Every structure is written in structure tokens, then in C-alpha cells.
């Protein structure tokens, strides 16, 4: 007769505390780790960092499963003594009291959750103090962002380098690049554009226009009344090739004067009188002919 059978004849139960799962792989520090842990991050970069390339450092922490108890939080190899529940006397059920002398329905005993046994809490694991997890461990990786990286693209695994200062463990990284918005430039896929405000008079006459580019300000000739134009080799770089660029699209935005002084109004009136607009003159003749025939 073994020890458990002897205790069972006395109405007691004896349970062995051990982890109820397969122990994970242990690292040299004695902690357990999961094979191939997937780490997902969104890495924010500026427009210029994505255009010309950079190296960004990404950090994080993880908690490894305790190797001592395999995550159960119980002291492995100890014994816990159980006995009949004193609330239901080992039946697992008891009758509810509805009033003086009356008995209600039979329900499950909450003290032993219906098992009929009272079992003392097992002693906690001394390594993790019952938490089932080891201490926080930091990891650090350097991410290579190539020139011409697009918004929403995923970094290749060979461009992610684990730093020597971080804890070595099995991880798979999935890092997605998010290019931050810029106050001047707009990036749509690989199309880089810029909206330049310009007065309606300058737009009509045509002149030199100062346009911001990735390399700085550039003065370009503005054709008369353009809807949009592009500048060669000033747009978004080819991926991994910063010297090869697409065109930069420039969209003029006409701005009308809100308030004019007396002199400004006089000049505009004189300009309007001198302008020869065939479309406007033809419209006026059509209106006069229609009024005269009515």
C-alpha cells in the first residue's frame, strides 16, 4: 500500500504539486522561453529618414516563463494534504435554507466547488514567488531603413540586427514602417508632391517660383496658368538607390486677395479695362442680343 492509498482510507487525499504542462526550452540563465516568439512593432520614421535611409533602434521587454515551476507558480515536488470539505461534509452539495425549518433546493457547494474535498493552497514556487513568470528582460534591435522606403512597408528580416547588449532569445520580428506626415510634402505611394500657394496674378503672368525639394529650395520657371508641373529627378528615390529619383510634382494653389486698399482697387480696375478677354466679350454680346430680341 502506497502513501496515497493510506491517506485515502482515512478520508484524506494527497496531491503532488507539479507543472501540468511540458516544460519550455531553458536558456542558460535557467528561465524558460517560447520558441519563435513573434514580436510586432510599428516603427515611425520621418519623411526624410524614409527618403534617404537611416538606422533606428527599437527596444522592448518580455517576461519569460519560470523554469522552476514551468509557469504553474507552485513549488514543484511538494505534497499538499486534502480532507473532506467541512461545509458539505464531503458530498459536494448542500441544501439552501429558505426560512425557519424549511429547506430549499440543493446546490453545489461553493467552498469546495463541488469536489467534496478541501485542499490547502500549495506552497508558491520560490523562484518566481507564485507568479509563474521570471523577471522582465529587455531586448534591443537596430533596424536598417533603406533609402526610398515606402509607408506601410515591412522591414526584411536581414535588416533587423539584435544588439549584443540585449538578452538573446528566440524571437521573430515583424516591423512595419510608418512614414510621418510632413507639413510641406505629400507622399502617395512613391509619388512625392508639393502644393505651392501663389497669387492669381502671378499664376496668370508666369514667373520664377521657389519650390521646396528634399535637397532644399529650388527656383524654377513657372509657365503661365499651369494646372500642375513636375521637376525632373527631385522626387522620391528608388528603393535602396538614393541617387535615382522620380520627378517631384508641383501643384500651384491660386490665392485671391481678400482686401485691397484704394490704390490696389484702382490698379485692378485699370488692368481689367485693358484686358482683352474674347470669352467675356462674346458672352456680353450674346446677352445684349437676347435682351434686344425680347
Amino acid at each position: 500500500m502506497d502513501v496515497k492509498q493510506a491517506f485515502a482510507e482515512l478520508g484524506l487525499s494527497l496531491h503532488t504539486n507539479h507543472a501540468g504542462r511540458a516544460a519550455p526550452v531553458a536558456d542558460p540563465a535557467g528561465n524558460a522561453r517560447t520558441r519563435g516568439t513573434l514580436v510586432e512593432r510599428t516603427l515611425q520614421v520621418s519623411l526624410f529618414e524614409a527618403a534617404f535611409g537611416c538606422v533606428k533602434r527599437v527596444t522592448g521587454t518580455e517576461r519569460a516563463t519560470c523554469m522552476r515551476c514551468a509557469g504553474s507558480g507552485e513549488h514543484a515536488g511538494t505534497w499538499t494534504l486534502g480532507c473532506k470539505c467541512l461545509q458539505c461534509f464531503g458530498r459536494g452539495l448542500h441544501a439552501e435554507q429558505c426560512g425557519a425549518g424549511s429547506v430549499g433546493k440543493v446546490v453545489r457547494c461553493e467552498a469546495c466547488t463541488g469536489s467534496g474535498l478541501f485542499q490547502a493552497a500549495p506552497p508558491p514556487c520560490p523562484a518566481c514567488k507564485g507568479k509563474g513568470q521570471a523577471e522582465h528582460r529587455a531586448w534591443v534591435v537596430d533596424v536598417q531603413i533603406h533609402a526610398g522606403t515606402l509607408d506601410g512597408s515591412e522591414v526584411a528580416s536581414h535588416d533587423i540586427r539584435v544588439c549584443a547588449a540585449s538578452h538573446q532569445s528566440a524571437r521573430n520580428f515583424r516591423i512595419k514602417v510608418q512614414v510621418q506626415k510632413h507639413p510641406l510634402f505629400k507622399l502617395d505611394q512613391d509619388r512625392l508632391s508639393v502644393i505651392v500657394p501663389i497669387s492669381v496674378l502671378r499664376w496668370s503672368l508666369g514667373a520664377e517660383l521657389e519650390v521646396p525639394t528634399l535637397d532644399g529650395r529650388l527656383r524654377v520657371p513657372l509657365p503661365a496658368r499651369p494646372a500642375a508641373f513636375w521637376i525632373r529627378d527631385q522626387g522620391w528615390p528608388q528603393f535602396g538607390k538614393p541617387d535615382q529619383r522620380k520627378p517631384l510634382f508641383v501643384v500651384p494653389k491660386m490665392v485671391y486677395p481678400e482686401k485691397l486698399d484704394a490704390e490696389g482697387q484702382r490698379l485692378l480696375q485699370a488692368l481689367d479695362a485693358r484686358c482683352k478677354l474674347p470669352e467675356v466679350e462674346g458672352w456680353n454680346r450674346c446677352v445684349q442680343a437676347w435682351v434686344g430680341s425680347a
Side-chain angles (χ1 to χ4, degrees), residues 2-17 78-85 90 112 115-121:
D2 59 11
V3 177
K4 286 189 176 182
Q5 290 178 348
F7 273 87
E9 290 186 356
L10 298 175
L12 304 174
S13 62
L14 197 64
H15 303 278
T16 305
N17 299 324
T78 58
W79 296 83
T80 302
L81 181 64
C83 61
K84 288 184 178 180
C85 176
C112 63
S115 65
L117 295 175
F118 172 78
Q119 185 174 342

Side-chain angles (χ1 to χ4, degrees), residues 136-158:
H136 285 281
R137 297 184 300 185
W139 53 264
V140 182
V141 295
D142 285 336
V143 181
Q144 175 68 52
I145 303 297
H146 292 280
T149 297
L150 298 178
D151 183 41
S153 59
E154 189 171 320
V155 180
S157 58
H158 59 266

Side-chain angles (χ1 to χ4, degrees), residues 266-278:
R266 187 187 65 80
L267 291 175
L268 279 181
Q269 290 172 357
L271 178 63
D272 182 65
R274 294 180 62 89
C275 287
K276 301 298 183 180
L277 303 176

Side-chain angles (χ1 to χ4, degrees), residues 17-76:
N17 299 324
H18 57 83
R21 68 192 75 171
V25 180
D27 59 18
N31 295 320
R33 57 179 171 84
T34 307
R35 294 184 183 273
T37 303
L38 180 62
V39 178
E40 295 182 313
R41 289 291 187 275
T42 298
L43 178 60
Q44 291 189 347
V45 297
S46 68
L47 183 79
F48 286 86
E49 289 175 336
F52 297 107
C54 64
V55 176
K56 302 285 285 187
R57 176 156 292 186
V58 182
T59 62
T61 58
E62 66 177 357
R63 297 201 72 173
T65 304
C66 177
M67 186 59 184
R68 185 77 173 267
C69 64
S72 67
E74 302 175 0
H75 196 309

Side-chain angles (χ1 to χ4, degrees), residues 21-22 40-41 46 68 80 86 122 132 138 148 184 188 215 223 229 239 247 262 279:
R21 68 192 75 171
E40 295 182 313
R41 289 291 187 275
S46 68
R68 185 77 173 267
T80 302
L86 301 180
L184 298 180
D188 185 9
D215 296 324
F229 63 97
F239 181 77
E279 184 177 355

Side-chain angles (χ1 to χ4, degrees), residues 254-275:
M254 290 181 292
V255 179
Y256 296 87
E258 295 183 358
K259 294 182 179 181
L260 290 174
D261 56 10
E263 180 64 18
Q265 291 179 1
R266 187 187 65 80
L267 291 175
L268 279 181
Q269 290 172 357
L271 178 63
D272 182 65
R274 294 180 62 89
C275 287

